[in-house]
Amino acid sequence: MERPRWLDEREQSAWRGYRRMRRLLDLELARELMRDAGLSEPDYDVLSDLAETPDRRLRLSELADRMLWSRSRLSHHLTRMQQRGLVTREECAADGRGAVVALTAEGRRAVEAAAPGHVAAVRRHLIDLLTPDEIAALDALTHRVVDHLTGPDDARR
Amino acid sequence: MERPRWLDEREQSAWRGYRRMRRLLDLELARELMRDAGLSEPDYDVLSDLAETPDRRLRLSELADRMLWSRSRLSHHLTRMQQRGLVTREECAADGRGAVVALTAEGRRAVEAAAPGHVAAVRRHLIDLLTPDEIAALDALTHRVVDHLTGPDDARR
DNA sequence: GACATCTGGTTGACATGTCATCAATCTGCC
DNA sequence: GGCAGATTGATGACATGTCAACCAGATGTC
């Protein structure tokens, strides 16, 4: 192994800041979402992804891919949400193995009630604290990193 | 509730990019760290925080605060790490209730073996993909958000 | 000094996420 | 058609994180 190139001071500071922000932002957004809407962040993500599809229903594998979740995790989480009446499972006509998740009326009500407050929280704790330039930089940089990580496997060693 | 100010296109894109990056970066760094060093990210964080203190030991509450973990979580995690021989618990001379975590020789070996590879991964998947300006922007913006979130409670509504 | 209260840490019950495995079904190939 | 192998989703065992209750020792008040 070559001699490691450690992070310089600025890089170190950015990396630590990123991780600290990540943690604090997560905690706060989750806290407010639970307090104001009774939903966890994973709940909200599932519901809002479903609410955005034309049919308000998706194949499990499709949803899992969008959310970057394992199928197992999604399956477990959906059974919990199903028990709370937020979603239902349906058979898939096109593929006998497949299943489809659909938003229930109650699930729809839940996201619609939660969304304004959640967006406001994202603004309050992140977006509105940044300059337009910073938002542009964040946009560019995150997408570059995402592209790198989803590129050909050998790019990841 | 006032009419919500939704995110505009750029803001939306930055927010989604951030969350996607967060997830993918996490998965990849955790995957490599486990594969190359047999440590989880929480393991690594505990060990490297300890390794950086002059005495290689810390009060539990101090460590919990630095890591933004609950005491309960830290306590559970330390008993697991203790069973693997990475850390030990000691009594605290100054406060009869208190406890101190100390790095074992093995724990020290583990971080020192893990660190170069982990730093390299952070470079490869994040730092080295950014321009100096972007690093500076990330540094500034994350710290501003952190300061906001750790400021007076009423700033958070 | 004695009592009430606070604080540091542990614990157990429970929620959530991961991993390996399984059954059903689909696909490609003969 | 029929079989081998791949894919889809469910499931159970286990690892990890959260929450509330608890104990022991510190601190404050009279």
Side-chain angles (χ1 to χ4, degrees):
Chain A
M1 164 99 57
E2 310 166 21
R3 209 162 53 74
R5 274 172 59 222
W6 300 107
L7 302 183
D8 69 29
E9 209 166 311
R10 178 43 67 73
E11 291 166 342
Q12 178 96 249
S13 174
W15 173 237
R16 296 203 171 183
Y18 164 71
R19 299 200 322 153
R20 217 167 170 73
M21 174 178 94
R22 195 170 149 346
R23 173 92 180 130
L24 286 167
L25 195 53
D26 227 41
L27 284 173
E28 182 61 18
L29 293 177
R31 198 179 65 76
E32 292 188 19
L33 191 58
M34 180 54 73
R35 182 194 63 190
D36 300 338
L39 297 174
S40 69
E41 284 197 292
D43 292 339
Y44 182 85
D45 291 343
V46 168
L47 293 177
S48 65
D49 251 34
L50 282 175
E52 277 171 17
T53 62
D55 231 17
R56 303 182 196 293
R57 71 194 65 231
L58 279 172
R59 280 292 294 273
L60 289 209
S61 47
E62 171 66 20
L63 183 55
D65 289 348
R66 289 191 193 196
M67 306 193 43
L68 302 171
W69 281 13
S70 73
R71 283 146 196 233
S72 168
R73 176 179 181 184
L74 182 60
S75 184
H76 280 300
H77 201 87
L78 289 179
T79 64
R80 293 189 292 260
M81 292 180 72
Q82 196 168 10
Q83 283 162 357
R84 294 159 59 202
L86 298 171
V87 298
T88 49
R89 272 183 236 243
E90 302 172 352
E91 289 185 357
C92 176
D95 186 331
R97 297 163 300 184
V100 171
V101 220
L103 207 54
T104 61
E106 189 179 338
R108 188 166 171 187
R109 245 180 288 121
V111 229
E112 287 175 356
H118 187 60
V119 173
V122 171
R123 279 206 171 282
R124 191 154 17 97
H125 299 306
L126 178 68
I127 299 293
D128 285 353
L129 300 175
L130 309 186
T131 65
D133 279 357
E134 285 174 332
I135 292 178
L138 189 63
D139 186 30
L141 128 213
T142 55
H143 283 92
R144 191 175 327 125
V145 173
V146 167
D147 287 348
H148 168 79
L149 284 165
T150 50
D153 277 359
D154 59 320
R156 302 210 301 281
R157 183 176 52 169
Chain B
M1 163 102 53
E2 309 164 23
R3 208 160 55 73
R5 273 172 61 222
W6 300 109
L7 302 183
D8 70 29
E9 210 167 311
R10 180 41 64 78
E11 291 165 343
Q12 178 96 249
S13 175
W15 174 237
R16 296 204 171 182
Y18 164 70
R19 299 201 320 154
R20 218 169 169 71
M21 173 179 93
R22 192 168 148 346
R23 173 93 179 133
L24 287 166
L25 194 53
D26 228 42
L27 284 173
E28 182 60 18
L29 293 178
R31 198 178 65 78
E32 293 188 20
L33 191 58
M34 181 54 72
R35 182 194 63 190
D36 299 338
L39 298 173
S40 70
E41 284 198 292
D43 291 340
Y44 182 86
D45 291 343
V46 168
L47 294 176
S48 64
D49 251 35
L50 282 176
E52 279 170 16
T53 63
D55 229 19
R56 302 183 198 293
R57 70 195 65 231
L58 278 172
R59 281 292 294 272
L60 289 207
S61 47
E62 171 65 19
L63 183 55
D65 289 347
R66 288 192 194 196
M67 306 193 42
L68 303 171
W69 281 13
S70 73
R71 282 145 198 233
S72 167
R73 176 179 180 184
L74 181 59
S75 184
H76 281 301
H77 201 88
L78 289 180
T79 64
R80 293 189 293 260
M81 292 181 73
Q82 196 169 9
Q83 282 162 358
R84 294 159 58 203
L86 298 171
V87 298
T88 50
R89 273 183 236 242
E90 302 173 352
E91 290 185 356
C92 176
D95 187 331
R97 298 164 298 184
V100 171
V101 221
L103 207 54
T104 62
E106 189 178 338
R108 188 166 171 188
R109 245 180 288 118
V111 228
E112 286 174 358
H118 186 60
V119 173
V122 171
R123 278 207 171 282
R124 191 152 18 94
H125 300 305
L126 178 68
I127 299 293
D128 285 352
L129 300 175
L130 309 186
T131 66
D133 280 357
E134 285 174 330
I135 291 179
L138 189 63
D139 186 29
L141 129 213
T142 55
H143 283 91
R144 193 175 324 127
V145 173
V146 167
D147 287 347
H148 167 79
L149 284 166
T150 51
D153 278 359
D154 57 321
R156 303 210 301 278
R157 181 177 50 167

